Amino acid sequence: MTTFDYANQALRRDMAAYARALRTIVEALPEARSLCDKVLKEVRLVQALLAFASSAQIATLAQIAYTISNLWAYREQSLARTLGFADEINEARTYRNEAQRAIAMLARHASNDPLAHELTVCFNNIIAYLEEEEQLLIECDQAIRPHAENMEMTRKRLNLLIAAIDARLPATPETAATLASYSEASRLLHDWESGVPLDERGIVILETCLDLLERASLVFPSAALNPGREG
């Protein structure tokens, strides 16, 4: 197998692997978002309960609730992290620790104070939701990280094929169409590196890229790219 043959085959394997990883993410993240919604509902209940009291401790609990409400799912960031979900995982752990800190503050009062009891229930629910969310994010991280770490090599392979097509194939309408397909795949790959939508549109990006590469491979023989061969 020549350099160009190998690059062609490896590129398709890479893109297929990215598509599978992204589908794992797209299927898992709506559930993670649902868990974030549940956390936010508990936070709102905490804030509503805290409105009935006033003290330094209450102010601290209000700050904890506010911190937890700033979940990744509600920020203006609609794109998946292409290097993994470490930030979101760490955030879930940090917020869980904050909820545990709130429970520790309430512990001495929860047995005989109805307000403290209800707040403890809320923060315990928040902890459970954040633990479940963290597990889903870990699944997403494990799905995408090996492929994301290989992205530079994928880009190099695609650039090699674009350069080989341009240098080795005759200037014909078919060659121009092939080059255009690979160039479009390169543009889509750049979109992937910048992040992909956390829904079916993200999968479409990669599946379109795969389709472009497949159609391009049909319009020229692989031998045509290889030095020393008749094409």
Side-chain angles (χ1 to χ4, degrees):
M1 182 181 294
T2 71
T3 297
F4 301 122
D5 291 329
Y6 177 81
N8 224 359
Q9 292 186 18
L11 181 63
R12 284 164 175 74
R13 286 197 303 270
D14 288 348
M15 299 309 295
Y18 294 139
R20 288 193 297 272
L22 183 58
R23 186 166 292 281
T24 296
I25 292 171
V26 169
E27 291 173 355
L29 284 182
E31 187 175 352
R33 175 63 182 261
S34 175
L35 290 165
C36 289
D37 290 342
K38 291 179 180 179
V39 169
L40 195 57
K41 289 177 181 179
E42 292 290 339
V43 166
R44 289 170 180 160
L45 181 53
V46 166
Q47 292 169 330
L49 289 166
L50 291 174
F52 289 92
S54 178
S55 68
Q57 185 183 58
I58 293 298
T60 300
L61 292 171
Q63 182 58 50
I64 291 173
Y66 175 78
T67 299
I68 293 173
S69 70
N70 187 31
L71 289 163
W72 64 271
Y74 305 101
R75 299 187 194 131
E76 292 182 4
Q77 182 179 340
S78 60
L79 304 179
R81 295 183 187 279
T82 56
L83 295 181
F85 288 80
D87 287 350
E88 289 85 353
I89 292 168
N90 290 335
E91 179 181 89
R93 291 172 180 169
T94 297
Y95 289 177
R96 190 171 74 245
N97 290 338
E98 285 292 286
Q100 290 170 339
R101 182 163 73 93
I103 289 174
M105 293 175 60
L106 293 163
R108 72 183 94 175
H109 308 292
S111 61
N112 54 19
D113 183 340
L115 178 61
H117 172 74
E118 291 299 338
L119 289 169
T120 299
V121 172
C122 291
F123 282 113
N124 273 322
N125 288 340
I126 288 170
I127 289 171
Y129 296 143
L130 288 174
E131 285 178 342
E132 191 172 349
E133 181 213 359
E134 181 183 338
Q135 290 306 308
L136 285 172
L137 292 175
I138 289 173
E139 178 184 352
C140 293
D141 187 76
Q142 291 174 341
I144 198 59
R145 186 174 294 278
H147 309 301
E149 291 173 351
N150 191 46
M151 180 56 72
E152 182 178 359
M153 182 57 68
T154 301
R155 183 174 58 251
K156 288 179 180 179
R157 287 170 180 154
L158 185 52
N159 289 341
L160 171 65
L161 289 171
I162 290 172
I165 291 167
D166 200 26
R168 295 283 172 79
L169 295 186
T172 65
E174 291 77 12
T175 297
T178 299
L179 192 59
S181 290
Y182 274 82
S183 296
E184 176 65 7
S186 180
R187 185 190 67 76
L188 291 173
L189 189 60
H190 181 269
D191 289 347
W192 164 254
E193 290 182 275
S194 301
V196 292
L198 299 180
D199 54 30
E200 288 294 331
R201 290 173 297 160
I203 296 174
V204 169
I205 288 175
L206 289 179
E207 290 184 344
T208 299
C209 195
L210 280 167
D211 183 59
L212 285 166
L213 296 177
E214 186 60 34
R215 283 190 280 119
S217 71
L218 297 177
V219 300
F220 68 92
S222 61
L225 294 178
N226 299 319
R229 294 189 182 185
E230 303 253 342

